[in-house]
Amino acid sequence: MKKSLKISLRILLAIIALLILSIILIPLMFKDQIKNKVLEEANKNLNAKVAIADFGLSLFRSFPDFSLTLNNMYIAGVDDFSKDTLIKAEKIYVRIDLMSVFKGEKYEVEAIELKNANLKFKVLKSGKANWDIAKASADTTKKAAPEKASSFKVGLQKLVLENVNVDYSDASLGFAMNMNGLNHTLTGDLTEKYTTLRTKTLAAKATMSYGGVSYLKDAQIDMVADIEFDMEKFKFIFKENELKINDLTFGADGFFTMMDNGYDMDLKFKVKKAEFKSFLSLIPGAFTKDFENIQTSGNLQFDGFVKGQYTETKMPAFALNLKIDNARFKYPDLPKSVENINIDTKINNSDGNPDKTVIDIRKFHFEMGGNPMDITMHVATPVSDPAIKGTIKGRMDLASVKDFYPLTEGDKLSGIFTANLSLNGKMSSIEKEKYEEFEAKGTLEVKALDYVSKDMPKGAKINELLLNFSPKFVSLDKFSAKVNSSDFNANGRLDNFLGYFLRNEMLKGSFNLTSNLINVDEFMGEETTTSTSDTASAPMSVVEVPGNIDFTMTTKIAKLIYDKMDITNVEGSLKVADKTVDLSNMKMNLLDGSMIMSGKYATKTDNPYVDFILDMQNIDVKKSCDAFEIIKTYAPIAAKCVGKVSMKIDFDTYLDNTMMPNYKTLNGFGSLKTSNIAFKGINTFDKIATVTKMDKFKNLEFKDLNLAFEFKNGRIELKPFDLKIDQMTGKMQGYSSFDQSINYVMDMIIPTKVMGAQTMAFANSLVGEVNKKAGTNASVGDKLDLQVLITGTVTDPQIKTGIKGQMNDAVDDLKNKAKEEADKLKAEAEAKARAEADKLKAEAEARVKAETDKLKSEADKAKADAEAKVKAAADKAKADAEAAKKKAEEDAKKKAKDAINKNNPFKK
């Protein structure tokens, strides 16, 4: 018995030792295989690029839990999101209960931790999101069998975010949010039908904007909330919670439910600290390290609610109430204060009908350094027929701002701002051109404004700005300004400004702009260097053209500086409409020559589209190379040219999200002419000179050169053109691709009288090769028909030479290869064009349907109104007829009675 017990103990100890050894060694033995397989499967099944620098897999360090650590992991987008990084994390840590893995029914995830990470979530105008990266199933034609309910579950107990930056933008909604230094913890069992989620969130800086309006800027967020979660209904119930934005603390209660077709909610919020100072902390720049020392007084009421369903056809009811009574604030180190702050504002919607929204700013009064400002505004029925009544009245000496608000060191501000504006009436009056029924009058005026800051050391000055308001339009009567070294003078008018602000309708305008100097470089800012490993960085982002403005502008600019290039005598007109900027005959002088430019830049799709015609005369080639990076990259030969050219280009292309051309979509043609141009030190011709032993190729000078070229299938194709180099003549054709590969054929007739001894030996060697292959005994004669094949890349050209007609196979191979590449690029371009056309068609059909539905709705309403009017008129006519009949009957009875009484003998 004892012996068998000893044996059993030995076996048990051996098994335990083997298990411990396996726990330590198995992850190490198979680490690389696991990593490679994970990356292979991820890249196979995701429309994204996934990379992991290193990872750890352990059963021992966290025993009895299983742990996985991913180090320096990133997931980068492709196609439309090729410049975006979805996730870039220094460390991702996952801990799973080992016994739950063995049981298999429910994986207990003890914790997920994300440390030192950047998360970028992006939605394009089309609604396409960068996190939608799962590839569709390869076979979508087969009908999937109904799935059985799975007993497999994952139970998450804890989620931790440590020092995470979150960047979210949705172009389809015009919404953006950014949080830096986010720290978040969430605990709770997400597999339970009903559980409590305990959360704590801290963000060092939070910025939020919607519709181009910034609502938060660099705000500190601190939130603690216990949320009851109903998994089956996907319902969140808020009870004990607190949200602190800077110094303003909110409490909220109610519920939020995610439905299949939208959301259902009943939430109420209210500030917990009824102090004006807390509200003051929301003003950008006010919440600083000296905020605690600000002297304040005044009462604050701030509350609201959201109640109801939000779907494609419904909106919830909501309200927002803000009231500030007799408030003031003063910075202790400044001589003056802001006094008599009184605000009474209510925004209310009783039932979710957008047209029942009422905005009521009953009072908005403050006095800044003795300068009073008063604003009132009431807006009702904002959808059907906005009724607006409001006033803006006040004067402000901007030089006094420094006396009550701390400016940044080095900042200076002065000038006089005056407003005296009143509005009263309904939009329908303007739409019906009954301008006498709508009051809109007054002025906004700025004089002698001068602002200097660290970022704008040369300052911004508005000598004079005068806006005059009327019901029909706003006129810009005077505008004279200087920003840094640039000056602007303009006048013009804006039409339908009320429709634009109240209904987001089309804003129309026409302006005249003149300037002695506009330095665009000063507005672009300094270039910043970014790490090449960070795919999230991009030099530029897409410049959106608004779809609800229709502007026409004529310009006359004496000097324009762009990218360190001087452009003079800029004249022309541009039109902004339908998300497109159209340039018409924009004339200018540049690069020692002149240019006329016409074309358009459009942002109707996710990728901007440009279509331009350029007519350039006597442009200095070397200066153009120095000015434009694209020429340096794809035509470095230009940097070694001396001379001037005249060129016409007609091209169109889509741009990527960094505003660079997508060369696969570039199409167009052009021509280049020059009377005299010289090349020196061109590596391609230097190599030809070395092979042919002719130094004439090293220093080339072309006269009366006339080239025709075409942008096609991602490359520049040169049509055959004549060459004349000294006494040599010939032709050249081929292409340069935008990946810098080249493919040219040059045929030259070289008289033997211009050949030296070494060149003659080279010619004899070529003829000798032909004789050897053909079994002939030919000689060079009085000329050499030389054919040169130029392949390779712009920076590393490869040269092959032979007798013309004897290199047909090599030339055909190049042509076939070029055709294959062209067909491939053409197919890709056509597929993209079809997809874009289908998308535009769908968008157009959606717009037509929306407009049709709108017209039908208006027609139905008009029909209903007409029927109601007809019915009312008929009812009135019927009632009038019955009344007339009744009256006639009564009159007849009365007459009969009178007649009887008159002839009655007893009455007599």
Side-chain angles (χ1 to χ4, degrees):
M1 182 72 177
K2 289 182 179 179
K3 185 177 180 180
S4 62
L5 180 60
K6 287 181 180 179
I7 293 172
S8 298
L9 287 173
R10 286 175 184 173
I11 294 172
L12 180 60
L13 289 173
I15 291 172
I16 292 173
L18 182 61
L19 281 172
I20 293 173
L21 191 63
S22 299
I23 289 170
I24 297 172
L25 294 180
I26 287 176
L28 296 176
M29 293 170 59
F30 297 100
K31 178 179 177 180
D32 289 339
Q33 292 94 321
I34 295 171
K35 174 185 172 183
N36 293 335
K37 187 62 178 176
V38 168
L39 289 176
E40 178 186 339
E41 291 300 317
N43 285 302
K44 185 190 298 183
N45 294 286
L46 299 176
N47 287 312
K49 299 174 184 176
V50 182
I52 304 171
D54 189 24
F55 85 105
L57 193 65
S58 174
L59 296 173
F60 184 75
R61 183 177 61 185
S62 55
F63 192 81
D65 292 337
F66 167 88
S67 67
L68 170 67
T69 304
L70 305 177
N71 296 313
N72 294 320
M73 172 190 171
Y74 80 81
I75 300 176
V78 296
D79 300 329
D80 291 332
F81 303 107
S82 60
K83 301 294 182 180
D84 299 324
T85 299
L86 179 60
I87 299 175
K88 184 179 182 183
E90 183 179 299
K91 182 179 180 180
I92 300 177
Y93 176 75
V94 182
R95 192 172 78 248
I96 305 174
D97 180 78
L98 183 60
M99 296 308 296
S100 71
V101 177
F102 289 147
K103 292 178 182 178
E105 292 183 358
K106 178 179 176 181
Y107 284 6
E108 294 286 352
V109 181
E110 299 289 347
I112 296 177
E113 298 179 13
L114 187 65
K115 294 185 178 181
N116 301 328
N118 293 319
L119 310 180
K120 185 170 186 177
F121 304 107
K122 187 175 182 180
V123 181
L124 301 178
K125 288 185 297 182
S126 61
K128 184 178 180 182
N130 70 336
W131 62 82
D132 186 12
I133 57 177
K135 288 183 178 177
S137 174
D139 187 0
T140 58
T141 58
K142 295 180 180 179
K143 185 176 181 180
E147 295 183 2
K148 294 181 179 180
S150 174
S151 61
F152 174 80
K153 296 180 180 179
V154 176
L156 177 63
Q157 302 295 325
K158 186 176 183 180
L159 173 67
V160 178
L161 305 180
E162 184 178 318
N163 191 29
V164 174
N165 299 324
V166 180
D167 186 1
Y168 177 87
S169 63
D170 188 335
S172 65
L173 297 176
F175 177 81
M177 181 181 68
N178 179 274
M179 285 191 286
N180 289 336
L182 175 66
N183 293 279
H184 172 79
T185 60
L186 178 149
T187 58
D189 191 341
L190 294 180
T191 61
E192 295 294 333
K193 293 182 180 179
Y194 202 88
T195 188
T196 298
L197 304 177
R198 292 179 170 83
T199 68
K200 183 174 178 59
T201 305
L202 291 169
K205 290 183 179 181
T207 299
M208 184 179 70
S209 64
Y210 177 71
V213 178
S214 179
Y215 292 93
L216 287 179
K217 183 174 175 61
D218 294 339
Q220 294 182 16
I221 303 294
D222 186 350
M223 185 176 76
V224 178
D226 288 351
I227 305 169
E228 293 183 6
F229 179 38
D230 186 335
M231 173 66 81
E232 291 185 343
K233 297 179 180 178
F234 231 81
K235 183 176 183 178
F236 300 87
I237 302 172
F238 298 86
K239 289 188 175 180
E240 295 297 324
N241 58 84
E242 186 174 281
L243 170 62
K244 189 175 182 181
I245 304 175
N246 289 341
D247 193 53
L248 190 65
T249 305
F250 290 94
D253 62 78
F255 70 84
F256 182 88
T257 304
M258 299 181 70
M259 307 185 303
D260 292 337
N261 62 337
Y263 312 98
D264 188 18
M265 65 202 85
D266 186 355
L267 296 170
K268 297 177 182 178
F269 66 89
K270 186 177 182 179
V271 293
K272 290 190 173 183
K273 290 174 64 177
E275 298 178 6
F276 170 69
K277 187 174 184 178
S278 299
F279 182 79
L280 185 66
S281 73
L282 296 184
I283 298 175
F287 193 67
T288 64
K289 62 182 180 180
D290 298 325
F291 181 75
E292 290 299 326
N293 299 322
I294 298 176
Q295 303 166 12
T296 66
S297 64
N299 298 319
L300 169 70
Q301 295 179 40
F302 194 12
D303 59 70
F305 74 85
V306 182
K307 184 177 182 179
Q309 293 185 359
Y310 178 80
T311 66
E312 291 183 358
T313 58
K314 293 181 181 179
M315 277 187 61
F318 60 90
L320 178 68
N321 305 306
L322 171 64
K323 190 171 184 180
I324 297 172
D325 290 326
N326 301 320
R328 67 180 293 274
F329 71 87
K330 182 181 182 301
Y331 285 83
D333 297 331
L334 298 179
K336 296 182 180 180
S337 60
V338 177
E339 301 281 348
N340 296 326
I341 304 172
N342 289 276
I343 301 173
D344 188 357
T345 297
K346 296 179 182 294
I347 301 174
N348 187 64
N349 182 291
S350 58
D351 60 3
N353 181 350
D355 200 36
K356 291 186 179 180
T357 302
V358 177
I359 302 170
D360 191 7
I361 305 176
R362 300 177 183 178
K363 182 187 292 184
F364 199 112
H365 173 86
F366 55 89
E367 296 171 14
M368 304 176 70
N371 297 305
M373 183 66 69
D374 285 281
I375 300 172
T376 64
M377 190 66 63
H378 184 91
V379 180
T381 58
V383 178
S384 61
D385 186 9
I388 180 171
K389 182 178 182 180
T391 59
I392 302 175
K393 189 173 183 179
R395 179 184 183 278
M396 190 178 300
D397 184 353
L398 299 177
S400 67
V401 171
K402 67 180 186 302
D403 295 332
F404 55 81
Y405 188 82
L407 300 179
T408 304
E409 185 177 355
D411 286 6
K412 295 179 181 179
L413 180 63
S414 63
I416 302 295
F417 170 82
T418 307
N420 187 2
L421 176 65
S422 64
L423 303 170
N424 188 8
K426 292 186 176 182
M427 274 296 300
S428 56
S429 298
I430 296 176
E431 291 170 349
K432 296 174 183 177
E433 298 185 359
K434 296 181 179 180
Y435 300 114
E436 70 281 357
E437 295 180 0
F438 195 104
E439 176 187 317
K441 61 183 179 180
T443 60
L444 291 177
E445 188 173 14
V446 177
K447 284 189 175 182
L449 185 147
D450 193 354
Y451 174 66
V452 177
S453 69
K454 182 180 178 181
D455 297 328
M456 197 176 289
K458 294 181 181 179
K461 298 180 180 180
I462 298 179
N463 300 319
E464 196 169 17
L465 167 65
L466 178 60
L467 288 171
N468 267 301
F469 290 80
S470 70
K472 192 174 183 180
F473 61 87
V474 178
S475 64
L476 176 62
D477 293 341
K478 298 177 183 178
F479 180 68
S480 173
K482 188 171 184 179
V483 181
N484 291 329
S485 61
S486 303
D487 63 89
F488 305 89
N489 289 278
N491 58 60
R493 60 182 274 176
L494 290 171
D495 292 274
N496 196 35
F497 70 97
L498 284 174
Y500 173 78
F501 286 109
L502 295 176
R503 286 181 166 178
N504 203 31
E505 294 178 350
M506 190 70 67
L507 178 65
K508 296 184 178 182
S510 58
F511 299 94
N512 300 306
L513 171 68
T514 61
S515 174
N516 293 311
L517 170 65
I518 297 179
N519 189 342
V520 179
D521 292 351
E522 292 178 338
F523 297 99
M524 300 288 284
E526 296 182 2
E527 294 182 2
T528 57
T529 58
T530 55
S531 169
T532 55
S533 62
D534 186 2
T535 58
S537 62
M540 288 186 68
S541 58
V542 172
V543 179
E544 295 282 352
V545 181
N548 59 345
I549 65 173
D550 185 347
F551 286 174
T552 301
M553 179 182 292
T554 59
T555 61
K556 190 172 183 179
I557 304 168
K559 184 177 181 180
L560 179 73
I561 299 175
Y562 174 73
D563 201 15
K564 300 179 182 179
M565 177 173 56
D566 290 350
I567 305 172
T568 60
N569 299 324
V570 181
E571 289 187 37
S573 64
L574 64 86
K575 183 177 177 63
V576 181
D578 193 25
K579 296 186 177 182
T580 302
V581 178
D582 271 306
L583 300 178
S584 178
N585 290 321
M586 189 70 73
K587 300 176 182 178
M588 62 195 75
N589 297 327
L590 73 166
L591 304 172
D592 294 347
S594 63
M595 180 172 72
I596 300 176
M597 176 171 58
S598 295
K600 66 181 179 181
Y601 166 83
T603 56
K604 295 181 181 181
T605 61
D606 292 332
N607 297 108
Y609 173 75
V610 294
D611 185 353
F612 279 95
I613 299 174
L614 309 178
D615 186 351
M616 295 173 279
Q617 299 294 321
N618 298 315
I619 299 293
D620 187 280
V621 178
K622 190 175 185 311
K623 286 185 177 181
S624 66
C625 182
D626 294 338
F628 297 108
E629 191 66 32
I630 189 172
I631 298 178
K632 291 181 185 178
T633 304
Y634 298 107
I637 187 174
K640 299 177 182 181
C641 294
V642 178
K644 293 187 176 184
V645 298
S646 294
M647 185 162 47
K648 292 183 179 180
I649 305 175
D650 187 337
F651 73 95
D652 65 274
T653 182
Y654 284 94
L655 308 180
D656 63 21
N657 57 6
T658 65
M659 296 293 285
M660 289 298 292
N662 179 350
Y663 295 113
K664 290 182 179 180
T665 68
L666 179 61
N667 290 291
F669 55 90
S671 62
L672 181 148
K673 296 180 180 180
T674 178
S675 58
N676 186 27
I677 193 166
F679 298 84
K680 186 177 182 180
I682 307 301
N683 57 359
T684 301
F685 288 101
D686 284 350
K687 285 190 175 184
I688 294 174
T690 300
V691 171
T692 62
K693 312 300 181 185
M694 291 194 72
D695 288 341
K696 291 182 183 293
F697 285 106
K698 291 185 176 181
N699 297 295
L700 299 176
E701 185 173 351
F702 298 113
K703 295 184 181 295
D704 301 323
L705 193 62
N706 190 350
L707 306 178
F709 54 87
E710 186 175 7
F711 300 112
K712 188 178 180 181
N713 300 324
R715 60 196 188 198
I716 305 174
E717 296 185 2
L718 276 179
K719 304 301 181 184
F721 64 96
D722 294 329
L723 283 174
K724 186 175 183 182
I725 305 172
D726 196 16
Q727 298 182 50
M728 299 181 290
T729 59
K731 284 184 178 295
M732 188 173 180
Q733 64 178 313
Y735 67 83
S736 296
S737 293
F738 289 111
D739 62 2
Q740 294 200 346
S741 63
I742 55 177
N743 188 329
Y744 288 99
V745 178
M746 184 171 71
D747 297 325
M748 297 296 297
I749 299 174
I750 307 176
T752 53
K753 63 182 179 180
V754 302
M755 295 182 186
Q758 289 183 319
T759 305
M760 196 67 198
F762 163 74
N764 286 327
S765 69
L766 293 180
V767 174
E769 290 177 7
V770 174
N771 288 335
K772 185 177 180 180
K773 289 181 180 179
T776 57
N777 190 26
S779 61
V780 176
D782 60 352
K783 63 179 180 179
L784 173 66
D785 284 346
L786 177 68
Q787 192 167 62
V788 183
L789 302 185
I790 306 168
T791 58
T793 65
V794 172
T795 55
D796 185 23
Q798 305 298 314
I799 306 299
K800 289 183 180 180
T801 57
I803 300 296
K804 184 178 179 181
Q806 301 300 315
M807 299 181 68
N808 291 339
D809 291 342
V811 173
D812 289 342
D813 287 344
L814 288 176
K815 289 182 178 179
N816 292 334
K817 183 180 178 182
K819 187 177 184 303
E820 289 174 4
E821 293 176 356
D823 290 343
K824 180 182 176 183
L825 290 169
K826 182 180 178 182
E828 291 176 356
E830 288 176 346
K832 183 176 178 65
R834 281 195 300 271
E836 199 67 43
D838 291 342
K839 180 181 176 183
L840 290 173
K841 180 183 177 183
E843 290 176 351
E845 289 175 346
R847 285 196 298 269
V848 169
K849 184 178 184 302
E851 191 63 30
T852 302
D853 291 343
K854 180 182 176 183
L855 292 173
K856 184 177 182 298
S857 175
E858 291 174 352
D860 291 343
K861 185 176 182 300
K863 180 182 177 183
D865 291 344
E867 289 175 348
K869 288 179 181 178
V870 169
K871 186 176 183 302
D875 291 343
K876 185 175 183 302
K878 183 179 178 182
D880 291 345
E882 290 178 351
K885 179 182 177 183
K886 185 176 180 181
K887 187 175 184 304
E889 290 175 348
E890 290 176 349
D891 289 344
K893 287 179 181 179
K894 186 175 182 300
K895 286 180 180 180
K897 185 177 180 181
D898 290 344
I900 292 171
N901 289 335
K902 183 178 180 182
N903 298 316
N904 189 346
F906 297 102
K907 280 281 184 183
K908 293 180 180 179

